[in-house]
Amino acid sequence: MAADAVGRSATPGVRPRAARLRTPLVRKLAGVAVVAAGVCASVAGLQRVPAFSLLPAVLGLSAFVIGKYVFCPLRWQALSVSEHSTAWFVRAFAEAELLGLCTPGHAGADLWRVRRLERTGRRRACAFGEVAADRLVGSVGIVAFALLSGTTLPRPLLVGAVGGLLAAVAAVAVLLRARPGLRERVPSLPGPRRLAAAVAYSLGYQASVLVMLVGVVAAVGASVDPLQLAGVFAASQLAGVVPGPQGASPKDGALAFGMVALGVPLEAALGAVSLKAALAWVPGLALGSTAFLVSRASVRRARTAVAALPHPALPAIPALPHPTLPSLPALAALPHPSLPAFAPLEGVVPDGVPALGAAAA
């Protein structure tokens, strides 16, 4: 059976299953299926919303778009050592956000950003370190925003945030001490000014999320104190450690129950969380797909420009004269040196040797 399998895999004209799954058509269909499944999962939650007002939801979504697709790319750029333009960071972040909406825990967003950095020549360790630093600054922004809003953070969240930060710093220090060669691969830390700018952008993003939460709560006909809602939102981020689909993750569940604790009816709280998850797909699909199209068009233009460049013409090699060999009749007609004629060897006897006749006599 093993020999038959090898023979089938080696048969010309028949591609292995892994190769067939990597065809462009299969990849496109798989991408469309993943996006459609994510949209359906988020839209299905809208069944919990009996009715909602459109204006507060649109206002909250507008603030969210500014925070998510402007402040977050600027935060990434402030922490990055790359020399790319702001448009590049905005476009790459929009692409990553669309993939993040399709994957649990937004893991696809981070992986896509790492891949985009690797395409520009960055090492994988540097790319991972840069994205991890952006995530870490985002977590610091959550705690800082809650503290600035005057909200008393739950002790588990505060201990978890501080403990996670200290554990990450200790792990990096031990790793660099054990393997000094990694210092050249790990990106350098940004300066105080750039780090402060990144934290400020993170605070702006948290404020935009709070505005969206207030908007979706008002859209379902409820009201809540924004400062208390900020504390609930910060506490719900602790449940984000456990991954889950968009709109049905443990983080969304913790946010809904936190709203209930603030006095929002359960039906309205579930509807607000579901509406927030569904509205996030609107800019994700619009901006993410546009970013992918723009990136593909730029790659095609670059290839066309490279193909249109004038290539230096190689110098013509002169024809070298080859000696012509004479034909066979010409060779036969050539004069050959005549050998000297040899006399017949009759009666030639070496000196000192008697003749055979005399010896016989």
Side-chain angles (χ1 to χ4, degrees), residues 94-95 98 282-296:
E95 296 171 358
L98 177 57
V282 177
L285 288 173
L287 300 178
S289 58
T290 302
F292 273 112
L293 293 176
V294 171
S295 298
R296 180 170 296 184

Side-chain angles (χ1 to χ4, degrees), residues 244-255:
Q246 175 74 8
S249 62
K251 180 176 65 176
D252 297 324
L255 180 60

